[in-house]
Amino acid sequence: EDQVTQSPEALRLQEGESSSLNCSYTVSGLRGLFWYRQDPGKGPEFLFTLYSAGEEKEKERLKATLTKKESFLHITAPKPEDSATYLCAVQAFPQGNLIFGKGTKLSVKP
Amino acid sequence: NAGVTQTPKFQVLKTGQSMTLQCAQDMNHNSMYWYRQDPGMGLRLIYYSASEGTTDKGEVPNGYNVSRLNKREFSLRLESAAPSQTSVYFCSTTGSRVIHTQYFGPGTRLTVL
């Protein structure tokens, strides 16, 4: 069964304290892995799509990486405005629907 | 260019009442989806429409019906609401049949008493 597990469930950081969020997955064949950001009371906002092991993508203070079993979302020198819930999802071959993890709630204190 | 819009934003129903959640997109995307999001459960797919004129069940379809009215609009209907359907409902779209990068609406918060 295709599955996505995110850890930790919640993460509290001080402003400037870098860290990583983990997304572990089991899927019959990976078509793509997606990262979303969700602010309270809003819909998920697309961040990245990763397609194959070894791939990396960056956006401002965020960098997403992918291996054959997991993905990491690295946050460098976070700011309070980075506080949000980060969701990971996978899509299986050939054209499967997205399977979402439960998310990691990130809080960055000034 | 509004992207994906959902109405209403909030709704309170009594058990047994019916209602329809509306979703519209101006992204010219073929595929549309309905999810529900509950605390500790993540996003779960209710129904989807790969293209105009087609609909399919997702992970949790019981108690719901959908209509793909045209390419822009995809509605979700609760015929007889139950407290277990209290949730936040999100509509999303994707323009690719291969890589399903999805774009989400702002959500409808539904409470069933």
Side-chain angles (χ1 to χ4, degrees):
Chain A
E1 181 183 350
D2 299 337
Q3 220 169 5
V4 178
T5 303
Q6 291 187 247
S7 62
E9 291 185 10
L11 181 62
R12 293 185 178 183
L13 300 174
Q14 289 296 127
E15 185 172 1
E17 179 187 3
S18 301
S19 187
S20 297
L21 283 55
N22 178 263
C23 172
S24 297
Y25 63 91
T26 55
V27 66
S28 49
L30 183 68
R31 171 69 78 177
L33 185 140
F34 306 83
W35 282 99
Y36 285 85
R37 169 189 172 129
Q38 186 175 23
D39 292 303
K42 296 191 176 181
E45 176 188 351
F46 171 71
L47 292 173
F48 305 110
T49 305
L50 302 169
Y51 300 96
S52 58
E55 188 174 3
E56 300 182 352
K57 288 193 176 176
E58 291 188 62
K59 180 179 181 180
E60 297 180 357
R61 295 176 292 282
L62 301 177
K63 183 169 80 171
T65 62
L66 181 64
T67 73
K68 289 185 177 180
K69 293 184 178 181
E70 57 192 350
S71 176
F72 293 93
L73 186 64
H74 306 277
I75 303 176
T76 302
K79 298 181 177 182
E81 53 261 43
D82 295 322
S83 297
T85 295
Y86 290 86
L87 303 176
C88 172
V90 297
Q91 179 188 355
F93 274 106
Q95 295 176 17
N97 292 314
L98 297 193
I99 301 166
F100 282 85
K102 295 179 181 180
T104 293
K105 184 176 182 180
L106 174 65
S107 299
V108 182
K109 302 300 182 184
Chain B
N1 188 345
V4 182
T5 58
Q6 293 183 236
T7 55
K9 290 187 177 180
F10 301 95
Q11 184 71 49
V12 178
L13 293 177
K14 294 181 179 179
T15 297
Q17 288 185 319
S18 63
M19 78 161 295
T20 300
L21 282 64
Q22 305 286 355
C23 175
Q25 53 104 357
D26 62 4
M27 305 176 78
N28 200 33
H29 285 175
N30 286 317
S31 302
M32 300 184 72
Y33 305 79
W34 277 105
Y35 292 88
R36 60 177 291 173
Q37 187 175 43
D38 303 292
M41 297 292 292
L43 283 159
R44 292 183 292 169
L45 183 63
I46 305 172
Y47 270 93
Y48 65 101
S49 171
S51 61
E52 186 177 354
T54 68
T55 60
D56 285 288
K57 295 179 180 179
E59 180 187 354
V60 288
N62 291 344
Y64 306 95
N65 285 301
V66 291
S67 294
R68 183 72 183 268
L69 304 171
N70 47 55
K71 188 172 185 178
R72 290 187 63 250
E73 298 172 290
F74 189 35
S75 62
L76 179 71
R77 183 161 178 82
L78 287 69
E79 291 290 352
S80 179
S84 60
Q85 294 178 305
T86 293
S87 187
V88 182
Y89 291 85
F90 290 102
C91 175
S92 70
T93 74
T94 181
S96 171
R97 288 183 176 271
V98 178
I99 299 295
H100 293 181
T101 302
Q102 294 185 18
Y103 298 89
F104 286 81
T108 294
R109 183 173 294 274
L110 175 67
T111 302
V112 183
L113 302 175

